Amino acid sequence: MGIPSILRPRKRNTITPTSEKHASTGPSTPTSRPDYQTGNDTIPQDTLRRVTKTRRIFSLVASISYLISWVFLVLVLIGNTYPKAVISDIYFFRLDLSDIIPLSVPNARLINSIAQSIGLHDFYQVGLWNFCEGFINEGITYCSKPESLYWFNPVEILMNELLAGATIALPTEIITILSILQITSQIMFGFFLTSAILTFLYIFLSPIATKSKWYSLPLSIGAFINMTLVVAASIVGTVISLVFKYAAEAQKELNIKSYVGTKMFVFMWLAAGFGIIGFAVHSGMGCCCVSKRDVTTGRRTLMPDGQGVQRKQVEVR
């Protein structure tokens, strides 16, 4: 005889908790990412350093570039300031007046000797702050006192060197460009000095770019200004030296020789080159390389293995 259905024991449906179900079926993928992947401030420092390694390397490259640029700018600034063995070899251009009267002129050697006896030196070389003079056999005998916004005025210097009442004929090209020489020399002085200050600051400011790409914007603007100053100053220095050389040697009546300073040219253009590298690095970091802020704010999320980053995925519902 069958038991009425109402009296039969019913099989109860038990709901297994999710945790127990997961425990019975083995480990499963967690429903949420670890804290360091959700954009909060609990990211391990070693992980943060690992994912921002590329940006730190480029920041270091920028700092080293500015350090090298600053060293060369210092050499440009101190060049020709004192009659030292190394410093005296750094100049923009050098005028050789040892044989100002051509040998084709009768008694040329006697006239040149007289010119030297009344105060004319064999050579004059020009730096950023002053000029130096001397004789071929003795070397540099005197350097003028360094002064800011200095410009080389050959007429004034030579007249002060000669005795009262004595005069010397100078090429008209040199006299014509004196006013231009003054303006451009003072601009060059200001640009080199300002660039040296900015370059020194950027040695220590460049690592700030590792924190955020927003820091790269003002740093890139400043780096562009610094690059413009040092490149413009180098161009002006090059043009002044070459124009002065051409003007001095254009007059065949006077045997004036002019030499450009090779070391000065190398130093200032190396400083300009490393300044360009620094600007390029800061500009690139404005759009490339993961920053600390990208990770901590969640704009870039860590890979499941924690070895890399990816762009934050936006779910479309």
Side-chain angles (χ1 to χ4, degrees):
M1 179 177 180
I3 299 176
S5 61
I6 192 171
L7 297 177
R8 294 175 184 173
R10 295 184 176 180
K11 186 177 180 179
R12 301 179 65 180
N13 296 327
T14 57
I15 301 174
T16 303
T18 305
S19 60
E20 296 180 5
K21 183 178 180 180
H22 289 168
S24 62
T25 59
S28 62
T29 304
T31 57
S32 62
R33 295 179 177 179
D35 288 341
Y36 63 79
Q37 291 179 326
T38 58
N40 54 31
D41 296 328
T42 59
I43 301 175
Q45 288 298 321
D46 57 340
T47 303
L48 191 61
R49 289 177 61 85
R50 182 168 57 252
V51 298
T52 59
K53 181 179 179 180
T54 302
R55 194 171 185 87
R56 288 187 291 107
I57 291 175
F58 278 107
S59 297
L60 181 62
V61 170
S63 293
I64 294 176
S65 297
Y66 284 116
L67 175 60
I68 298 175
S69 179
W70 181 74
V71 170
F72 286 121
L73 283 173
V74 170
L75 291 174
V76 171
L77 291 176
I78 67 175
N80 201 67
T81 51
Y82 298 99
K84 303 294 183 180
V86 178
I87 298 178
S88 61
D89 293 334
I90 306 173
Y91 53 85
F92 287 104
F93 59 90
R94 175 173 177 169
L95 295 177
D96 186 353
L97 309 180
S98 56
D99 294 318
I100 190 171
I101 304 300
L103 297 178
S104 58
V105 177
N107 300 322
R109 296 188 181 278
L110 176 60
I111 299 175
N112 289 325
S113 299
I114 295 175
Q116 293 180 1
S117 65
I118 62 177
L120 189 66
H121 288 73
D122 287 346
F123 64 86
Y124 298 83
Q125 58 188 44
V126 182
L128 194 65
W129 297 80
N130 60 342
F131 79 95
C132 293
E133 61 187 11
F135 297 99
I136 299 298
N137 298 329
E138 300 179 18
I140 296 177
T141 58
Y142 169 78
C143 288
S144 63
K145 182 179 179 181
E147 58 180 281
S148 59
L149 299 176
Y150 173 78
W151 70 285
F152 180 68
N153 187 347
V155 175
E156 179 181 358
I157 293 173
L158 294 179
M159 291 303 298
N160 291 334
E161 294 286 324
L162 300 176
L163 296 177
T167 60
I168 184 172
L170 292 176
T172 56
E173 286 80 359
I174 295 181
I175 300 176
T176 303
I177 66 173
L178 284 181
S179 58
I180 301 177
L181 177 64
Q182 179 181 5
I183 297 174
T184 54
S185 297
Q186 293 176 347
I187 291 175
M188 177 183 64
F189 179 94
F191 281 8
F192 270 130
L193 188 60
T194 305
S195 178
I197 297 174
L198 288 176
T199 301
F200 178 78
L201 294 177
Y202 264 76
I203 297 174
F204 308 99
L205 292 177
S206 293
I208 298 177
T210 59
K211 296 183 178 180
S212 173
K213 292 180 180 178
W214 286 105
Y215 289 137
S216 295
L217 178 60
L219 288 174
S220 298
I221 295 175
F224 176 77
I225 295 174
N226 177 70
M227 178 193 68
T228 303
L229 291 176
V230 66
V231 171
S234 299
I235 293 175
V236 171
T238 302
V239 171
I240 289 177
S241 300
L242 294 179
V243 170
F244 211 104
K245 173 179 173 61
Y246 172 78
E249 296 180 350
Q251 297 296 322
K252 302 303 180 181
E253 295 82 1
L254 295 176
N255 188 28
I256 300 178
K257 299 177 182 178
S258 180
Y259 306 94
V260 295
T262 304
K263 293 183 178 180
M264 180 69 82
F265 274 49
V266 172
F267 292 160
M268 67 182 181
W269 280 110
L270 282 176
F274 283 102
I276 294 174
I277 293 175
F279 166 69
V281 171
H282 279 296
S283 299
M285 287 194 295
C287 59
C288 304
C289 304
V290 179
S291 66
K292 293 180 180 179
R293 186 175 182 273
D294 290 337
V295 181
T296 57
T297 58
R299 293 182 58 193
R300 295 290 183 94
T301 57
L302 295 174
M303 294 291 190
D305 58 1
Q307 298 298 321
V309 294
Q310 61 184 356
R311 292 186 180 275
K312 183 177 180 181
Q313 300 296 328
V314 180
E315 297 182 359
V316 180
R317 297 182 180 179

